[in-house]
Amino acid sequence: MFNICKPTKNAKLSDITQGFHKDHQAIDIAGRYGEFLVAPFNAQVENIVEGVRLETEPFELKRGYGIRLKSVEDPAYSISYWHCLPHFPADKGQTVFMGQPVAQMGNSGWVESNGKYVEVDVRTLPP
Protein backbone atom coordinates (compact mmCIF):
# COMPACT_ATOMS: atom_id res chain seq x y z
CA MET A 1 0.00 0.00 0.00
CA PHE A 2 1.06 3.61 -0.42
CA ASN A 3 0.32 6.87 1.37
CA ILE A 4 -2.85 8.82 0.69
CA CYS A 5 -4.13 12.19 1.89
CA LYS A 6 -7.60 13.54 2.67
CA PRO A 7 -9.76 14.72 -0.27
CA THR A 8 -10.02 18.25 1.17
CA LYS A 9 -7.83 20.20 3.57
CA ASN A 10 -10.25 19.97 6.51
CA ALA A 11 -12.00 16.65 5.74
CA LYS A 12 -13.02 14.47 8.67
CA LEU A 13 -14.93 11.22 9.05
CA SER A 14 -18.06 13.06 10.21
CA ASP A 15 -18.24 14.72 6.74
CA ILE A 16 -19.32 11.42 5.16
CA THR A 17 -23.00 11.86 4.27
CA GLN A 18 -23.53 8.50 2.59
CA GLY A 19 -21.34 5.46 2.81
CA PHE A 20 -20.43 2.66 0.44
CA HIS A 21 -23.02 -0.12 0.13
CA LYS A 22 -24.61 -2.41 -2.45
CA ASP A 23 -26.84 0.30 -3.95
CA HIS A 24 -24.34 3.17 -3.60
CA GLN A 25 -20.85 2.12 -4.62
CA ALA A 26 -19.26 5.39 -3.57
CA ILE A 27 -18.77 7.61 -0.55
CA ASP A 28 -20.43 11.04 -0.45
CA ILE A 29 -18.55 13.74 1.45
CA ALA A 30 -20.01 17.09 2.50
CA GLY A 31 -17.97 20.23 2.09
CA ARG A 32 -18.10 23.86 1.08
CA TYR A 33 -19.27 24.70 -2.44
CA GLY A 34 -16.16 25.52 -4.46
CA GLU A 35 -13.75 23.89 -1.98
CA PHE A 36 -10.81 22.28 -3.75
CA LEU A 37 -10.61 18.50 -3.95
CA VAL A 38 -7.04 17.22 -4.10
CA ALA A 39 -5.32 14.17 -5.52
CA PRO A 40 -5.17 11.64 -2.64
CA PHE A 41 -2.04 10.08 -4.16
CA ASN A 42 0.30 10.62 -7.11
CA ALA A 43 -1.91 9.90 -10.12
CA GLN A 44 -2.60 10.32 -13.78
CA VAL A 45 -5.84 12.03 -14.81
CA GLU A 46 -7.62 9.27 -16.71
CA ASN A 47 -10.74 11.18 -17.64
CA ILE A 48 -12.65 14.38 -17.07
CA VAL A 49 -16.42 14.15 -17.50
CA GLU A 50 -17.96 17.46 -18.53
CA GLY A 51 -21.70 17.81 -18.57
CA VAL A 52 -22.79 14.43 -19.95
CA ARG A 53 -23.14 10.84 -18.85
CA LEU A 54 -20.44 8.55 -20.18
CA GLU A 55 -21.44 4.91 -20.65
CA THR A 56 -17.83 3.84 -20.07
CA GLU A 57 -17.63 5.20 -16.53
CA PRO A 58 -18.13 2.68 -13.71
CA PHE A 59 -20.74 4.85 -11.95
CA GLU A 60 -23.74 6.50 -13.53
CA LEU A 61 -23.17 10.26 -13.57
CA LYS A 62 -26.20 12.00 -15.00
CA ARG A 63 -25.40 15.33 -16.63
CA GLY A 64 -22.70 16.33 -14.21
CA TYR A 65 -18.96 16.88 -13.94
CA GLY A 66 -16.28 14.61 -12.57
CA ILE A 67 -12.66 13.53 -12.73
CA ARG A 68 -11.08 10.08 -12.53
CA LEU A 69 -7.53 9.57 -11.25
CA LYS A 70 -5.40 6.40 -11.44
CA SER A 71 -2.45 5.86 -9.12
CA VAL A 72 0.96 6.00 -10.79
CA GLU A 73 2.45 3.89 -7.97
CA ASP A 74 -0.17 1.12 -8.14
CA PRO A 75 -2.49 1.27 -11.18
CA ALA A 76 -4.94 -1.05 -9.40
CA TYR A 77 -6.02 2.00 -7.35
CA SER A 78 -8.17 4.75 -8.77
CA ILE A 79 -10.54 7.38 -7.45
CA SER A 80 -13.29 9.47 -8.98
CA TYR A 81 -14.65 12.79 -7.78
CA TRP A 82 -18.20 13.47 -9.01
CA HIS A 83 -20.64 16.35 -8.62
CA CYS A 84 -17.84 18.84 -9.27
CA LEU A 85 -17.92 22.37 -10.60
CA PRO A 86 -17.25 22.56 -14.35
CA HIS A 87 -13.73 23.97 -13.92
CA PHE A 88 -10.76 21.61 -13.53
CA PRO A 89 -7.22 22.73 -12.61
CA ALA A 90 -5.87 19.51 -14.19
CA ASP A 91 -6.07 18.09 -17.71
CA LYS A 92 -6.74 14.60 -19.05
CA GLY A 93 -3.45 12.69 -19.25
CA GLN A 94 -1.67 14.99 -16.79
CA THR A 95 0.28 13.56 -13.87
CA VAL A 96 -0.82 15.13 -10.58
CA PHE A 97 0.79 14.81 -7.18
CA MET A 98 -0.66 13.99 -3.78
CA GLY A 99 -2.32 17.12 -2.36
CA GLN A 100 -2.50 18.94 -5.72
CA PRO A 101 -5.94 20.49 -6.47
CA VAL A 102 -7.74 18.58 -9.24
CA ALA A 103 -11.39 19.68 -8.93
CA GLN A 104 -13.80 21.84 -6.94
CA MET A 105 -16.70 20.57 -4.88
CA GLY A 106 -20.00 21.34 -6.55
CA ASN A 107 -23.56 20.18 -6.93
CA SER A 108 -23.63 18.65 -10.40
CA GLY A 109 -25.02 15.19 -9.71
CA TRP A 110 -28.64 14.15 -10.08
CA VAL A 111 -30.73 16.74 -8.20
CA GLU A 112 -34.50 17.07 -7.90
CA SER A 113 -36.48 19.87 -6.34
CA ASN A 114 -40.20 19.36 -5.67
CA GLY A 115 -40.04 16.15 -7.72
CA LYS A 116 -38.56 17.81 -10.82
CA TYR A 117 -35.03 17.43 -12.19
CA VAL A 118 -32.93 20.59 -11.74
CA GLU A 119 -30.75 21.23 -14.81
CA VAL A 120 -27.00 21.07 -14.18
CA ASP A 121 -26.52 24.56 -15.68
CA VAL A 122 -28.64 26.00 -12.87
CA ARG A 123 -26.80 24.05 -10.15
CA THR A 124 -23.30 25.05 -11.27
CA LEU A 125 -23.95 28.79 -11.02
CA PRO A 126 -22.13 30.51 -8.15
CA PRO A 127 -24.24 30.53 -4.97
Side-chain angles (χ1 to χ4, degrees):
M1 187 59 180
F2 51 91
N3 291 328
I4 63 171
C5 71
K6 300 184 289 186
T8 64
K9 181 179 178 183
N10 298 311
K12 48 192 179 300
L13 284 175
S14 61
D15 293 334
I16 296 174
T17 59
Q18 183 168 229
F20 190 97
H21 54 80
K22 177 178 71 92
D23 296 323
H24 185 258
Q25 295 185 7
I27 296 172
D28 289 348
I29 301 170
R32 288 178 299 124
Y33 188 87
E35 183 173 12
F36 280 101
L37 296 160
V38 301
F41 40 70
N42 297 336
Q44 181 174 25
V45 179
E46 272 196 312
N47 203 2
I48 293 178
V49 179
E50 298 191 67
V52 296
R53 177 178 175 260
L54 292 183
E55 301 291 337
T56 58
E57 291 299 323
F59 306 109
E60 185 174 328
L61 177 68
K62 296 177 181 171
R63 297 203 48 164
Y65 300 88
I67 188 168
R68 184 165 184 81
L69 309 171
K70 181 181 265 188
S71 169
V72 295
E73 296 169 20
D74 186 344
Y77 288 93
S78 63
I79 186 169
S80 297
Y81 289 131
W82 301 120
H83 314 307
C84 301
L85 290 177
H87 318 288
F88 294 91
D91 296 312
K92 184 176 178 179
Q94 179 180 347
T95 298
V96 293
F97 301 96
M98 182 169 56
Q100 180 178 340
V102 295
Q104 287 179 276
M105 194 169 287
N107 187 20
S108 68
W110 182 268
V111 174
E112 291 185 13
S113 178
N114 296 321
K116 294 184 180 180
Y117 176 72
V118 179
E119 289 293 330
V120 71
D121 295 344
V122 173
R123 292 179 279 114
T124 55
L125 293 173

